[in-house]
Amino acid sequence: MDDAARDSAASELSTVPGAVATPLPVECVACYVWRMLDEFGCNATLRWTRRWRDARARRATALEHRLARRGGCCDCELFLNIWVPSSPLTTEPSGTRFPPPKGPCRGVRRGSSQPCHLWVDGRV
């Protein structure tokens, strides 16, 4: 990401209310990013993934690289190419590829960059 894009992302995040955009204490990366995408959408970057990492798993320095290798180059691609809810896939009336996960985040230990049990590998 170049400096201009980084400055733009930082400026955009500064307009998001802090409490809303703060990961919950045991919230996994997938549940957090899903929640933020539902509320604020995707801007073709990993802004929510980075924000989660900075708050919950600072030592996961290779997270972005690992996700990009699997096809997750922006936040919404995480759910198109990597993770899907563990509940059966269906087409919702809204036309979405799959329904949101059922229930609140199951949680992960602090520092884990893995999704909780609400998510499974969606690659076929």
Side-chain angles (χ1 to χ4, degrees), residues 47-109:
R47 71 177 166 166
W48 302 120
T49 302
R50 283 188 204 101
R51 190 171 186 125
W52 178 89
R53 185 203 56 217
D54 292 347
R56 302 269 305 129
R58 289 183 177 262
R59 295 181 67 196
T61 57
L63 177 62
E64 294 171 58
H65 181 68
R66 180 171 43 99
L67 294 173
R69 276 195 332 257
R70 296 180 64 198
C73 296
C74 71
D75 289 322
C76 67
E77 286 181 343
L78 301 179
F79 305 101
L80 295 172
N81 301 329
I82 301 175
W83 301 315
V84 295
S86 57
S87 56
L89 297 179
T90 62
T91 301
E92 294 286 298
S94 64
T96 59
R97 184 172 152 218
F98 44 78
K102 300 208 186 247
C105 183
R106 300 292 193 256
V108 293
R109 68 173 171 73

